[in-house]
Amino acid sequence: MFYHNKKLQYFTPPDNPDPIYAKKVQELIGGTFGEMTVMMQYLFQGFNCRGPAKYRDMLLDIGTEEIGHIEMLATMIAHLLDKAPINMQEDGAKDTIVGAVMGGNGARDSIMDVMAAAMNPQHAIVSGLGAMPADSVGFPWNGRFIVASGNLIADFRSNLHAESQGRLQAVRLYEMSTDPGVKDTLSFMIARDTMHQNQWLAAIEELKADGLEDTPVPSSFPDLPDKKQHAYQFLNLSEGTESAEGRWAKGQSIDGKGEFEYVEQPKPLGSEPNPPTPDPRLHGTAMTPQVPAAQTLTS
Amino acid sequence: MFYHNKKLQYFTPPDNPDPIYAKKVQELIGGTFGEMTVMMQYLFQGFNCRGPAKYRDMLLDIGTEEIGHIEMLATMIAHLLDKAPINMQEDGAKDTIVGAVMGGNGARDSIMDVMAAAMNPQHAIVSGLGAMPADSVGFPWNGRFIVASGNLIADFRSNLHAESQGRLQAVRLYEMSTDPGVKDTLSFMIARDTMHQNQWLAAIEELKADGLEDTPVPSSFPDLPDKKQHAYQFLNLSEGTESAEGRWAKGQSIDGKGEFEYVEQPKPLGSEPNPPTPDPRLHGTAMTPQVPAAQTLTS
Amino acid sequence: MFYHNKKLQYFTPPDNPDPIYAKKVQELIGGTFGEMTVMMQYLFQGFNCRGPAKYRDMLLDIGTEEIGHIEMLATMIAHLLDKAPINMQEDGAKDTIVGAVMGGNGARDSIMDVMAAAMNPQHAIVSGLGAMPADSVGFPWNGRFIVASGNLIADFRSNLHAESQGRLQAVRLYEMSTDPGVKDTLSFMIARDTMHQNQWLAAIEELKADGLEDTPVPSSFPDLPDKKQHAYQFLNLSEGTESAEGRWAKGQSIDGKGEFEYVEQPKPLGSEPNPPTPDPRLHGTAMTPQVPAAQTLTS
Amino acid sequence: MFYHNKKLQYFTPPDNPDPIYAKKVQELIGGTFGEMTVMMQYLFQGFNCRGPAKYRDMLLDIGTEEIGHIEMLATMIAHLLDKAPINMQEDGAKDTIVGAVMGGNGARDSIMDVMAAAMNPQHAIVSGLGAMPADSVGFPWNGRFIVASGNLIADFRSNLHAESQGRLQAVRLYEMSTDPGVKDTLSFMIARDTMHQNQWLAAIEELKADGLEDTPVPSSFPDLPDKKQHAYQFLNLSEGTESAEGRWAKGQSIDGKGEFEYVEQPKPLGSEPNPPTPDPRLHGTAMTPQVPAAQTLTS
Amino acid sequence: MFYHNKKLQYFTPPDNPDPIYAKKVQELIGGTFGEMTVMMQYLFQGFNCRGPAKYRDMLLDIGTEEIGHIEMLATMIAHLLDKAPINMQEDGAKDTIVGAVMGGNGARDSIMDVMAAAMNPQHAIVSGLGAMPADSVGFPWNGRFIVASGNLIADFRSNLHAESQGRLQAVRLYEMSTDPGVKDTLSFMIARDTMHQNQWLAAIEELKADGLEDTPVPSSFPDLPDKKQHAYQFLNLSEGTESAEGRWAKGQSIDGKGEFEYVEQPKPLGSEPNPPTPDPRLHGTAMTPQVPAAQTLTS
Amino acid sequence: MFYHNKKLQYFTPPDNPDPIYAKKVQELIGGTFGEMTVMMQYLFQGFNCRGPAKYRDMLLDIGTEEIGHIEMLATMIAHLLDKAPINMQEDGAKDTIVGAVMGGNGARDSIMDVMAAAMNPQHAIVSGLGAMPADSVGFPWNGRFIVASGNLIADFRSNLHAESQGRLQAVRLYEMSTDPGVKDTLSFMIARDTMHQNQWLAAIEELKADGLEDTPVPSSFPDLPDKKQHAYQFLNLSEGTESAEGRWAKGQSIDGKGEFEYVEQPKPLGSEPNPPTPDPRLHGTAMTPQVPAAQTLTS
């Protein structure tokens, strides 16, 4: 069960409105690695967790924090959308050079209109200058963005990757802004992402220390003896052998259970496929013409 | 540019058809962590790679391998769909107990019909007993499933997580089958997933050894001095302190740049949100009634 | 900012596992009118609210409650998925009648397998017997399911409709179960939906009492004088006049601003469309053949 | 069965082309509350209606009208896309200030190019200057946008909300235009939305007058006696008690069956969740390490 | 503008309910090639048509017919869903064999329950035994299913393909049924699909006869002289030369403008890709480590 | 199994970066008719093919070629995104006219910023200046874009239509560019599309010559005798008879099996729909009020 405190976890309002930047910040709310993803991912992992209590509690701690991150970003977007240009030609300032280019069509009269043109139109039409559960191109967040498999090391690796992509995107947005308020709020969130990357790396160590999970995931299923030869071979399927230079091509495997082998000219081990002949009542194309009489029998 | 060899990388045909299992195998082709995902993810990462040649080559090696994995699974599904029950009541074998349950409605006469009921109907209607680019509930694969950010450590963590979820799902399907052919082919793919988990762990090590990337991602953007206090705090936002017991709550942080701190009763640092008043022409609800005269001015 | 209490708002565990029912309960989590929808809808409306404080506070109260409803249903699903049949043929109990129907193919041996066939396969393969952010056919929840327009009466009508569809679906699921634990938990949630329908009806009254909003939405934009005749006409476009019998076809309009009129034989008021000729460089089909020389000029 | 008359229900052509506005008008065709939604929603409700004939006839009347609304807007968009800038730099008019900004890259030479940049690129590439079944950010209309539950009061509340959001969006687009032709056509459609809001309010009254449906929906399912206490309580889950000031917190409930109660400090009524231990063959993480031997038994 | 006649274009009611078959018929309503697709495709092509009037009129004729096809199928589904099993265990008929298999869990008692398990759960929970705008796995119809490009030959080829897939799917469903009513209605629709395939083949001939369009599409854009060599070469990129045996590998090309050539060992004509170095502020991985100081300069 | 050659099939780098054009080129990668579609469509058709070997081999030849086309376009996009404007106001060049228009808000200072505003924001935030598996509005490619039915003539018609739309879109993009490098690469791809249109037309001829497939598809299912009258009638459902002028309205049908007939005033052949009364436990609205006592019986 959840409770809400009206104060924001952290927030410095933007110094200036900027509807284009508002469009971009949507990526951090409803993008593949936005706050909706980490919030839902951690909560579902927590709700479904059957492992030791410390993991479940930790997942719900961080999932609960992320709900508040959506709140922070939604507030930022409301500020950025303030005074967004709604009605074209409204500002009176006519750009005559632009007017000349446009000729008699008269459709556009000012750069302000261009701003109106490039902002997310749904920020005006649909949400009335509020944040939306969508990314920076307006694509809605969806449930396939999250992962909750019941295997904690698989999921913590997913969390680590989400926080890595998430911090990367937040940093990019930080670099794309010159607004001190925006940059201050984002730098707080970036610091939290630093914590969360560390947290998932620590949680992976903890799972190993507890003897619960290890590489390869799931470690409770070792490779079969007759397949082990395939478990440490690097296949050079792209012409050229630059890939032989990496750590993945030689030496002991990272899981400590094998030795990397570089296969320079890999060959197929199977035969040509030979899918069975289809049922004639499905009217697929077979090797020879089909007798067109099926329906006369049954109707 | 790509070339194709008609032989499969590895394949043992299923001993028996099984349309229900065919439905489930779709998860490994078109699911969030199916072969379409890893194939497209590695190819796009390779196409977009600007790092050293060994990384680009390695990405294209493995991406090219994964195209062939789709081919293997599509062939498996064609075999599993052989003799799928198309026309109900067709087998002549009437189950009288079932008939009694169904009463006079006569809609169903045999367990064979039940099989027809629970298979993916699109395997008959749409694909004519062939594999589809969709998951085990028929949801189509889509481009938001893949990650190619241009930052290699972020992407390799994503690849590690994809191979972890992918091996976990392949193992689950292995456990859900008793067919020797299916199990043999899957165990080969599971071994390759073992390699690929090791490969991405090795590639992450290689990036660090090359001095290119590290934690936190992106390591080229350190946390700001005034935000560093937030970069190593664990916030206990869920009642109870079981989460204090984990590695993430104490000791040096994994990136070696800070010390974990457990905040038992975290408080908001921001104030209450105060979003600006909306433009009246968007007809949102404001603090006081709006004058309903806008359109009479402009029309 | 949000906090979490580990106890559930209300919960009686199911008496028996039932993986098919678990599939159906997903509709109440991730369906169009599931708890994810109302949670996100109320939170976004609250985050974006610029109206009087009582509305914003009320929206965040109920949005916060709904997060906990996801938690309750996720827990119910974990119980329902307990002992779900994973490996076919595993229970040893062979149904010889079924075996006879299946003949030599040997793919299926027991009704338990049929259960395995009809459950949501992702509950085993993807989530490891946990709830997912998807509906009863496995389609993921997405952000287009929610509404937050900034106009409170429009949004409260949306909330009323969501709670109406939501209670209807919960009641249907109640009727579809015979499990006392399931029915007890659902009847609590149905009671909350009763409250929430009443709440939104009361909130619409409150908006009117405050003079903020009224019919037609948005009331701050009255119809133009020359269009008012179209604002109260019912057009009989489907042959037959049964529709003349309803309240919508006669008497004062509900907004009190007009009189309903039944137009028995409505005619077009516009002319035939005449879209302009397309730019030849887009190579659409025009009235006469185009000169195929465009590219020779520019390359 | 349907028939078509080539004349439009109402139409005044735009005075000027405007590809940016064309992009925005897409919201009214293929957005969540566009004409495709109301058309499909009313037709499916009509097709599925089992209630008295007047309701079915009325639903098909209005559903049929809405098909023609798509036609009107598609024609408007074709006019707005006339002379859309296809080929950059084509108009000869060079803006030297802009050129200076762009430096030697030479990619852009005029504001006309900017227009080309901000229009929906699919209007040129995909539809050849025609309307598309998508919204203002290019996201396609989909079937989850509509509601047809078989319960008429639930559906009429849905219709009322759709017409409320729809009129709000049409009004916003009206305010965002200065083109007399566009405004005239939109004001006709806004007037029809006024009618349709009144129509659904009237239809809800009619259902009550007929004794068919009432609050709470579905009224054929009253709350259970032991849950009634939860059916009228407002839970104050967000810190602060501003929400106590509204109609929803005190007095008789709107359905006349209870008394609103304000619960200032709501507590959980359930216990901590305790999901059952997962089947080890799904390789989720359990309380203690699993024995990694499963597959050796079955293969 | 559209009108509706209450009678169906053609209809024979099903003899028996069958909720599983109802699930499958959804493919013909909301699948990729269902009636929603052809209806919307032809209407949008008609609305956007700038070619001669006969084409526009023809498109609107057939588009209008297809709306009525949705109506026919929706009615068929309502009949098929009659008496669908809602409440498990309700029919009293206990299957003791099944009961034995299920042991003490008690979740399932009859084959009737299995029927309830395999039907589309949304047919009960969401639509209340009515048709939905979705396909046979419950995936919603969406606007990306249709094509309306403005080029009539491209679109008529699309229409021909849609009617080909559509007739194929309707035939498969015909073969999958033994219900005389269902088969009679489907055979009418199949006959209409025959007409529509003929119609689009005739329309393609008409476009050629009118001199408006031809192969290659768009014929108003001939291949450039220096690229013509690539316009008639078949590239043998898959090992083996079986593909040399087909009409596509030798003789005059179908458009009469070239000669097919079989290239047995095709080689790349381009060089290795060399994408430019990324902007360091995007923190992608470059050839050498980046200086981590960007943000200290701007904040 | 697949192999990769590092050289591109064909490529001329763009002369100049252009982030807006990069956004548009995405349509050719991840749009409905982009290279991802034809690649996946041909590969799945090939994997699933049960017809003669020449067809299977041919499908895999062309499918393999299309993988390389994605590679070419991804490389083009990386070049076009070079030097994309990341940080607003960064170039120092202030456009004072624009500044005056923007007034004191200070959000935008240069046309360069406008470029930043209109580019696909995910090209910076998500992909770090690389191609994405999405179309020109950022909507992701998905598996419902492809067709692989098992019936080769149905699929080859689909392929013909895909290559027609694909060449049309590539030509439009060619016309929308003035960059010699872009135009050279595109004209190569357009020439390949010419080949591929010819190829599918030839393949359809081959199927007929082999006696495998013909019109109507599937030709193995002729129309029933009592439905044949409906198989060649054109129904004039849109007012006006311009549609009588086309080839589809008179003369022998294209399949040679009938005579086109123009029905000027088509009438319904069916009766009014009469869907059965719903189960009261689903709480849909019926003709008369329902007794609200269901749940008291079962709980």
Side-chain angles (χ1 to χ4, degrees), chain F residues 33-179:
Chain F
F33 303 107
E35 301 292 347
M36 290 178 75
T37 292
V38 284
M39 169 211 161
M40 284 293 181
Q41 180 152 320
Y42 302 154
L43 290 182
F44 271 86
Q45 288 178 12
F47 296 157
N48 292 344
C49 183
R50 274 81 162 210
K54 63 185 169 187
Y55 294 107
R56 183 183 181 100
D57 189 29
M58 179 264 282
L59 283 161
L60 293 172
D61 281 336
I62 181 172
T64 303
E65 179 180 358
E66 306 290 10
I67 317 175
H69 287 196
I70 303 176
E71 191 181 26
M72 290 163 60
L73 289 169
T75 305
M76 183 191 285
I77 284 177
H79 282 271
L80 289 167
L81 288 173
D82 190 27
K83 301 186 182 57
I86 304 307
N87 195 324
M88 300 183 189
Q89 301 182 311
E90 69 189 335
D91 296 280
K94 305 295 184 189
D95 179 343
T96 53
I97 293 175
V98 181
V101 173
M102 295 299 292
N105 289 337
R108 296 256 128 32
D109 285 302
S110 75
I111 295 296
M112 198 69 181
D113 288 0
V114 178
M115 291 298 101
M119 70 180 280
N120 181 335
Q122 295 193 325
H123 273 157
I125 304 168
V126 176
S127 73
L129 305 183
M132 302 182 74
D135 67 16
S136 61
V137 296
F139 185 79
W141 188 89
N142 75 73
R144 286 291 194 282
F145 287 178
I146 79 165
V147 181
S149 72
N151 181 291
L152 290 186
I153 192 167
D155 287 356
F156 292 174
R157 284 177 173 179
S158 178
N159 301 350
L160 175 63
H161 115 94
E163 296 285 351
S164 300
Q165 299 286 343
R167 191 176 185 274
L168 177 64
Q169 295 184 357
V171 162
R172 285 170 173 173
L173 278 159
Y174 180 97
E175 300 272 23
M176 292 160 80
S177 174
T178 55
D179 186 293

Side-chain angles (χ1 to χ4, degrees), chain B residues 13 47 63 101 106 113 144 158 164 166 196 214 231 256 262-263 277 287 289:
Chain B
F47 296 158
V101 173
D113 288 1
R144 285 292 194 283
S158 178
S164 300
H196 294 157
D214 210 333
Y262 190 78
V263 183
T277 304
M287 296 298 288

Side-chain angles (χ1 to χ4, degrees), chain D residues 18-34:
Chain D
D18 185 341
I20 304 299
Y21 198 77
K23 174 174 74 174
K24 295 178 181 174
V25 173
Q26 286 285 159
E27 192 69 32
L28 300 187
I29 288 184
T32 319
F33 302 107

Side-chain angles (χ1 to χ4, degrees), chain A residues 1-3 46-47 56 60, chain B residues 239, chain C residues 4-14 65 67-79 185 188, chain D residues 266-275:
Chain A
M1 190 175 174
F2 293 81
Y3 295 87
F47 296 157
R56 183 185 181 98
L60 293 172
Chain B
E239 151 251 45
Chain C
H4 180 250
N5 182 308
K6 285 209 186 59
K7 294 205 183 69
L8 297 166
Q9 186 183 3
Y10 189 95
F11 191 66
T12 304
E65 179 180 357
I67 317 176
H69 286 195
I70 302 176
E71 190 180 26
M72 290 162 60
L73 289 169
T75 305
M76 183 191 286
I77 283 177
H79 282 271
T185 303
F188 174 82
Chain D
K267 299 291 176 211
L269 304 171
S271 56
E272 287 196 25
N274 184 23

Side-chain angles (χ1 to χ4, degrees), chain B:
Chain B
M1 191 175 173
F2 293 81
Y3 294 87
H4 180 250
N5 182 308
K6 286 209 185 60
K7 294 205 182 68
L8 297 166
Q9 186 182 3
Y10 188 94
F11 191 67
T12 304
D15 287 35
N16 288 302
D18 185 342
I20 303 298
Y21 197 77
K23 173 173 76 174
K24 295 178 180 174
V25 174
Q26 286 284 158
E27 193 69 32
L28 300 187
I29 289 184
T32 320
F33 302 107
E35 300 293 346
M36 290 180 74
T37 291
V38 284
M39 168 210 161
M40 285 292 181
Q41 180 151 320
Y42 302 154
L43 290 183
F44 270 87
Q45 287 179 13
F47 296 158
N48 293 345
C49 183
R50 275 80 163 210
K54 63 184 168 188
Y55 296 108
R56 183 185 181 97
D57 189 28
M58 179 264 282
L59 283 160
L60 293 172
D61 281 335
I62 181 173
T64 303
E65 180 181 357
E66 306 289 10
I67 318 176
H69 287 195
I70 303 176
E71 191 180 23
M72 289 162 61
L73 289 169
T75 305
M76 183 192 286
I77 284 177
H79 282 271
L80 289 167
L81 288 173
D82 189 28
K83 301 188 182 57
I86 304 307
N87 195 324
M88 299 185 188
Q89 301 183 309
E90 68 189 336
D91 297 278
K94 306 295 183 190
D95 179 342
T96 52
I97 293 175
V98 181
V101 173
M102 295 299 292
N105 289 336
R108 295 254 127 35
D109 286 301
S110 76
I111 295 296
M112 197 69 181
D113 288 1
V114 177
M115 290 298 101
M119 69 180 280
N120 181 334
Q122 295 192 326
H123 273 157
I125 304 168
V126 176
S127 72
L129 306 184
M132 302 182 73
D135 67 16
S136 62
V137 295
F139 185 78
W141 188 90
N142 76 72
R144 285 292 194 283
F145 287 178
I146 78 166
V147 181
S149 74
N151 181 291
L152 290 186
I153 193 169
D155 288 356
F156 292 173
R157 284 177 173 180
S158 178
N159 301 350
L160 175 63
H161 114 94
E163 296 285 351
S164 300
Q165 299 285 345
R167 191 176 185 274
L168 177 63
Q169 295 184 356
V171 163
R172 285 170 172 173
L173 277 159
Y174 179 97
E175 300 271 23
M176 292 160 81
S177 173
T178 56
D179 185 295
V182 165
K183 286 175 106 77
D184 188 62
T185 304
L186 285 183
S187 66
F188 174 83
M189 300 184 85
I190 291 166
R192 293 307 296 154
D193 291 343
T194 298
M195 172 60 197
H196 294 157
Q197 286 185 33
N198 275 282
Q199 178 177 336
W200 298 120
L201 286 165
I204 290 168
E205 284 195 5
E206 185 88 355
L207 282 170
K208 292 180 187 172
D210 288 348
L212 288 172
E213 304 286 354
D214 210 333
T215 297
V217 170
S219 51
S220 47
F221 188 98
D223 289 294
L224 297 185
D226 69 320
K227 295 299 179 311
K228 205 165 171 191
Q229 69 201 94
H230 307 296
Y232 301 101
Q233 287 180 331
F234 184 94
L235 304 183
N236 177 39
L237 288 160
S238 184
E239 151 251 45
T241 58
E242 295 91 333
S243 57
E245 297 161 24
R247 175 66 183 85
W248 49 80
K250 61 208 169 213
Q252 196 190 38
S253 66
I254 309 298
D255 64 9
K257 298 170 188 162
E259 200 75 19
F260 284 129
E261 178 191 354
Y262 190 78
V263 183
E264 195 170 327
Q265 295 192 318
K267 300 290 177 212
L269 304 170
S271 56
E272 288 196 23
N274 185 22
T277 304
D279 188 307
R281 287 164 304 167
L282 290 181
H283 299 273
T285 303
M287 296 298 288
T288 52
Q290 302 180 12
V291 180
Q295 93 278 21
T296 59
L297 301 176
T298 50
S299 68

